Amino acid sequence: MSDLLSFDEIKARFPAEWVLVVDHQTDASLELVAGRVLCHSTNREEVDRKLLELRPSRFAVRYLGKMHENTAIVL
Protein backbone atom coordinates (compact mmCIF):
# COMPACT_ATOMS: atom_id res chain seq x y z
CA MET A 1 0.00 0.00 0.00
CA SER A 2 1.17 3.54 -0.68
CA ASP A 3 2.28 6.15 1.81
CA LEU A 4 -0.17 8.51 3.44
CA LEU A 5 -0.46 11.53 1.13
CA SER A 6 -2.24 14.84 1.40
CA PHE A 7 -5.02 15.35 -1.13
CA ASP A 8 -2.87 17.98 -2.87
CA GLU A 9 -0.07 15.40 -3.22
CA ILE A 10 -2.53 12.86 -4.60
CA LYS A 11 -3.81 15.38 -7.17
CA ALA A 12 -0.24 16.22 -8.20
CA ARG A 13 0.81 12.57 -8.61
CA PHE A 14 -2.31 11.35 -10.44
CA PRO A 15 -3.69 14.21 -12.58
CA ALA A 16 -6.68 13.34 -14.78
CA GLU A 17 -7.01 9.89 -13.18
CA TRP A 18 -9.51 8.07 -11.02
CA VAL A 19 -8.12 7.18 -7.58
CA LEU A 20 -9.25 4.71 -4.94
CA VAL A 21 -8.23 6.08 -1.54
CA VAL A 22 -8.29 4.16 1.75
CA ASP A 23 -7.34 5.16 5.30
CA HIS A 24 -8.67 8.53 4.28
CA GLN A 25 -9.00 11.59 6.46
CA THR A 26 -11.66 14.26 6.02
CA ASP A 27 -12.18 17.75 7.37
CA ALA A 28 -15.27 19.04 9.21
CA SER A 29 -17.20 19.35 5.93
CA LEU A 30 -16.19 15.79 4.92
CA GLU A 31 -13.84 16.95 2.16
CA LEU A 32 -10.97 14.55 1.49
CA VAL A 33 -7.78 15.81 3.17
CA ALA A 34 -5.42 12.82 3.02
CA GLY A 35 -5.25 9.09 2.45
CA ARG A 36 -3.46 6.14 0.88
CA VAL A 37 -3.94 5.53 -2.84
CA LEU A 38 -4.82 1.88 -3.31
CA CYS A 39 -5.42 2.07 -7.07
CA HIS A 40 -5.34 4.70 -9.81
CA SER A 41 -6.19 4.68 -13.51
CA THR A 42 -7.54 6.81 -16.33
CA ASN A 43 -10.20 4.10 -16.67
CA ARG A 44 -12.91 4.15 -13.98
CA GLU A 45 -13.75 0.49 -14.63
CA GLU A 46 -10.24 -0.58 -13.56
CA VAL A 47 -10.66 1.25 -10.26
CA ASP A 48 -14.11 -0.30 -9.79
CA ARG A 49 -12.74 -3.81 -10.43
CA LYS A 50 -10.02 -3.26 -7.81
CA LEU A 51 -12.64 -1.96 -5.39
CA LEU A 52 -14.76 -5.09 -5.86
CA GLU A 53 -11.69 -7.32 -5.54
CA LEU A 54 -10.39 -5.79 -2.30
CA ARG A 55 -13.66 -4.59 -0.75
CA PRO A 56 -12.18 -2.10 1.72
CA SER A 57 -14.57 -1.18 4.54
CA ARG A 58 -13.98 2.58 4.14
CA PHE A 59 -12.84 4.23 0.94
CA ALA A 60 -13.18 7.23 -1.35
CA VAL A 61 -13.16 7.30 -5.15
CA ARG A 62 -12.31 10.58 -6.84
CA TYR A 63 -11.70 11.79 -10.38
CA LEU A 64 -8.81 14.26 -10.40
CA GLY A 65 -9.26 15.67 -13.89
CA LYS A 66 -11.47 18.40 -15.22
CA MET A 67 -15.09 17.40 -15.72
CA HIS A 68 -16.66 18.09 -19.09
CA GLU A 69 -19.05 21.02 -19.21
CA ASN A 70 -22.23 18.93 -19.56
CA THR A 71 -21.34 16.27 -16.99
CA ALA A 72 -24.07 15.30 -14.56
CA ILE A 73 -23.09 13.97 -11.15
CA VAL A 74 -25.54 11.63 -9.45
CA LEU A 75 -25.21 10.82 -5.77
Side-chain angles (χ1 to χ4, degrees):
M1 191 175 306
S2 70
D3 295 330
L4 184 67
L5 302 172
S6 71
F7 190 54
D8 287 337
E9 290 172 316
I10 293 170
K11 289 188 292 187
R13 286 189 190 187
F14 309 106
E17 289 192 49
W18 289 93
V19 293
L20 170 58
V21 181
V22 295
D23 299 333
H24 61 285
Q25 301 167 3
T26 57
D27 62 14
S29 60
L30 300 178
E31 293 292 324
L32 187 61
V33 175
R36 297 180 195 284
V37 176
L38 196 57
C39 176
H40 62 92
S41 176
T42 56
N43 184 337
R44 171 68 191 256
E45 290 178 5
E46 287 182 37
V47 173
D48 289 343
R49 278 193 291 276
K50 192 61 143 177
L51 177 60
L52 290 172
E53 174 189 328
L54 299 174
R55 299 190 183 271
S57 58
R58 292 187 61 229
F59 64 91
V61 175
R62 296 287 188 274
Y63 178 64
L64 304 178
K66 184 176 179 182
M67 294 293 216
H68 296 286
E69 184 176 320
N70 294 323
T71 300
I73 298 175
V74 179
L75 300 176

